[in-house]
Amino acid sequence: MNYYSLNNNAPSVSFAEAVVKGLAPDRGLYFPENIQPLPASFFENIETLDTVEIAYQSIKQFIGDEIPETELRDILKDVLSFDFPVVEIEDNIGTLELFHGPTMAFKDVGARFMARCLGYFNQNNNNKVTVLVATSGDTGGAVANGFLGVKGVDVVILYPSGKVSDIQEKQLTTLGQNITALEVEGVFDDCQDMVKTAFLDEEISSVKQLTSANSINVARWLPQLFYFMFAYKQVKQKGKEIVFSVPSGNFGNICAGIVANKLGLPVKHFIAATNVNDTVVRYLQSEKYDPKPSKATISNAMDVSNPSNFVRIQQLFNNNFHELKDDFSAYSFDDEQTKATMKAVYNTTKYIADPHGAIGYMGLKEHTLTDNQYGIFLETAHPVKFLDTVESTINTTVEIPTQIRKVMNKEKKSIHIKSYDELKKFLLQ
C-alpha cells in the first residue's frame, strides 16, 4: 500500500515512510492510494472473530507486506489487551467505552500501535527518531505511555498551559526517560502549528528525523477504525441501522470510522459532535471553511478550531459537499448544555459520562433516531480524567482507578515555551 499527500505535491511513499515522516514534504496529510472493501463474509461472520482477527483483517491492506503477518498479529495482540464494551444507556442508545486502556483514553490504541510499528521499523536503525506531538488533552498521556522506553525514539509533547485537566497533565509530565513535555503559552492550535512548522524546517530536518504521533500520522489514525468494527460485532444481533456519534476535536476518530464504512461496515450515518469550536458545523451550513481562534471548554480534548483530519474526511467523500452531507452531520454544544446532559444521564441511568461522552450523547439526541436505528456514542475518556468537573456537576464521588492513582502524586516536570523559536532551539540543542 502506498500513500500520497492530500496536497498532491509530494511523492507517494510506503506505509513505513509515511509513519516515519508523519507529514508529507508539501505539508499535506498522507492518505492511502486505495481502500479495498472487505468481503461480505467478514461482516456476516464477525461474531465468530476475536478482536485481534477483526483488527488484522481490517488493517492488513494498509500495511501490505511491510510488517510480516506474525509480527503484525503480535503487535495487535499487545495493543488490544483490554476491552471495548458497548454499554446500553437507553433502549436505542449505547455507549462504546474506549477508556479501559493504560491511560484511560481512546488514544491508547493508536499510540501503542504506532509506537510498536515505529519500533519495528527502527529495530535495525541506529539513528534516533524524535516523535513531536501536540496535545489538547489525552493524546499526550497516551503517546507518552505508548512510547515510554521504546528504543531509538525520543518523544517531545507540546501542550497548552492551563488548558488540560490536572490528571491529563500528570500523565504526560511525570514519566521521564525518553519523554519531554513542553508547556506552551497558548492554545492547542498554537501547539499544532508549531509541530507542523517544525516538520518543514530544513535546519531541524537536516539534523533530526522528526515524526508525529498526532492523528495526522497514518499509524495513529488508521487503527481507530477497529473501534467501529468492535461495536458492530456487539450490536449486530439487534438488526437495526447503526448511527455513530463521535465527540470530535481533530476529527481523526470519526474519520477512521468512515474508513471502516468504506471497508464495508454497515453504518447508516455519522455524527460529529463538537463543543463551541464549531468550524465544521458552520461549514456544513454554509460550505465555507472558516476556522476561528479556539475557545477553552470543559471538553478540552475537543478545543480544536482547525481540525487536521477534516481534509481526509472530505477526500473520503470525493470532495463532494452534497455527498458528505448525505451521510455526515455535525452539531455543536456549549458547556452549560454539556453539564445539564451529564446530570440528566446520571440522574436517569446512574451512568457517569465525561464531558466529551455527554456531547456525543447530545449528538444522537439532536439527530433524532428512528425506531429502526440504534445510536452509539463514543465515550473517549474515563470521567476521572475530568474529576472536578464531573464530581461538581453530578454531585457524586468518582472512584479513582489504579492507572490514575499511579501518577497523581508524581512530580510534574515541564519546560515552558512561548514561541516557535524556543521550540526550534530546544530541538536543535
Side-chain angles (χ1 to χ4, degrees), residues 14-31:
S14 66
F15 175 74
E17 290 175 286
V19 174
V20 173
K21 290 177 184 290
L23 198 65
D26 64 355
R27 211 177 172 113
L29 271 61
Y30 283 118
F31 195 82

Side-chain angles (χ1 to χ4, degrees), residues 8-9 54 73 130 153 191 257 265 270 293 331 339 353 399 426:
N8 295 305
N9 196 29
I54 291 170
R73 286 183 180 275
T130 298
V153 178
C191 300
L265 181 71
F270 286 97
Y331 305 109
K339 289 179 181 178
E399 184 179 347
F426 172 82

